[in-house]
Amino acid sequence: MLTRALSRSKIPNFSSIIFILQNLTTKQSIIDQTQLPLSKASNIQSFLAPAGLRQYHDGRPRGPLWRGKKLIGKEALFVILGLKRFKNDDDEKLDRFIKTHVFRLLKLDMIAVLSELERQEEVSLAVKIFRVIQKQDWYKPDVYLYKDLIMALLKTGKMEEAMKLWEDMRNEDLFPDSQMYTEAIRGYLRDGSPADAMNIYEDMKKSPDPPEELPFRILLKGLLPHPLLRNRVKQDYEELFPEKHVYDPPEEIFGML
């Protein structure tokens, strides 16, 4: 009686469950053999997945994402490795390598070499590549080419080389942005050259872009030991940002402000 009751119930027995799983496996193999497009195959595969089981990524890189990481071509990579190999040798070998391999690069490869050298903080090599770029027929003054290189020089403390490029940029009627002014001011204050920092500040006042608060804050903090210079910056700051408050330390710390 118990066996007959179970056979009549709506609960599937083990044999029916095995049959269903085998049927699903057969359907899956048929789909694989027909080589459906990726989008359709993935939809059918998710439909055939047993309920409650999660589809996990296999870990392999997808096409577009993987191609996005291969922006640097083989020739550009060869040039980067060659430049780094010859950088400690005499200048003649390095210049010969640049004339032989760098000048033959396409525009995008040349810019990719420049960007990668900046990223690796190989700033002296990056300056050489930038000078090569300036000699190309397709070169046009671009503040962003200057910016990335000058910022890399400033962050590595090469103030003299950065200011040479800064002067070239200004001679091409290009103005730095607020971030460049901030890093230049910070670099000179870090090196103990408040007069040079003030020169950058005076140049910033001529910029057609609206002033930003950060370079003023950097100057006001860095010029605390120099009250006369600080008062000049403070007066300009209060005129440009009347709603902001300037903190003045106690007089006995840095003298009369």
Side-chain angles (χ1 to χ4, degrees):
M1 292 294 292
L2 179 60
T3 303
R4 294 173 60 185
L6 288 174
S7 62
R8 294 177 181 177
S9 65
K10 297 182 180 180
I11 301 175
N13 54 23
F14 289 103
S15 61
S16 61
I17 292 175
I18 294 173
F19 175 78
I20 292 172
L21 292 176
Q22 290 176 347
N23 192 20
L24 291 176
T25 305
T26 304
K27 289 181 180 180
Q28 181 64 43
S29 62
I30 294 173
I31 291 172
D32 293 338
Q33 292 175 0
T34 55
Q35 296 182 351
L36 291 175
L38 182 59
S39 59
K40 293 183 179 180
S42 60
N43 291 338
I44 295 176
Q45 190 174 15
S46 61
F47 173 76
L48 293 176
L53 294 181
R54 183 178 176 182
Q55 296 292 312
Y56 287 94
H57 186 261
D58 58 4
R60 291 177 295 181
R62 299 305 184 196
L65 179 62
W66 186 247
R67 285 195 298 270
K69 295 182 179 179
K70 295 183 178 180
L71 297 178
I72 302 179
K74 292 182 179 179
E75 289 212 14
L77 287 174
F78 171 78
V79 167
I80 292 171
L81 294 175
L83 290 170
K84 293 172 67 175
R85 183 170 67 249
F86 290 113
K87 70 176 182 178
N88 294 324
D89 295 339
D90 57 282
D91 293 337
E92 184 179 352
K93 289 184 179 180
L94 182 59
D95 292 340
R96 189 184 309 122
F97 181 85
I98 290 175
K99 291 179 181 179
T100 305
H101 298 284
V102 176
F103 276 90
R104 61 181 291 184
L105 291 176
L106 298 176
K107 175 181 177 180
L108 293 180
D109 286 335
M110 203 173 289
I111 294 177
V113 170
L114 175 64
S115 300
E116 183 61 19
L117 291 174
E118 292 168 353
R119 189 189 68 81
Q120 297 183 20
E121 296 186 353
E122 297 284 352
V123 288
S124 297
L125 293 174
V127 171
K128 289 182 176 294
I129 299 301
F130 182 74
R131 296 306 184 189
V132 173
I133 290 176
Q134 287 182 308
K135 298 177 182 178
Q136 304 304 306
D137 295 334
W138 46 262
Y139 171 76
K140 293 182 180 180
D142 188 343
V143 68
Y144 292 104
L145 281 177
Y146 275 104
K147 176 180 178 177
D148 293 340
L149 185 52
I150 290 175
M151 292 289 288
L153 289 167
L154 291 174
K155 290 180 179 178
T156 53
K158 298 182 180 294
M159 300 299 298
E160 185 176 353
E161 294 181 48
M163 288 303 108
K164 288 180 180 178
L165 286 172
W166 189 289
E167 184 178 354
D168 292 344
M169 178 179 59
R170 296 293 288 111
N171 290 335
E172 293 183 352
D173 294 327
L174 298 174
F175 276 92
D177 60 9
S178 179
Q179 187 180 11
M180 297 173 68
Y181 282 121
T182 300
E183 288 301 323
I185 290 172
R186 181 184 283 120
Y188 276 127
L189 292 175
R190 181 180 60 239
D191 291 348
S193 303
D196 292 324
M198 288 299 296
N199 289 335
I200 298 296
Y201 170 70
E202 294 297 332
D203 186 70
M204 183 181 70
K205 291 166 64 175
K206 302 175 185 177
S207 174
D209 297 331
E212 295 189 14
E213 185 181 356
L214 182 57
F216 285 91
R217 289 286 185 182
I218 298 295
L219 262 177
L220 289 171
K221 181 179 179 181
L223 293 177
L224 283 173
H226 308 279
L228 295 179
L229 296 177
R230 187 177 187 273
N231 278 336
R232 287 170 51 188
V233 178
K234 179 182 177 182
Q235 183 178 357
D236 294 338
Y237 178 79
E238 290 175 343
E239 291 178 0
L240 292 170
F241 306 97
E243 73 281 1
K244 299 295 183 178
H245 175 69
V246 178
Y247 169 74
D248 292 325
E251 296 179 358
E252 61 270 14
I253 296 180
F254 292 104
M256 296 294 295
L257 294 177

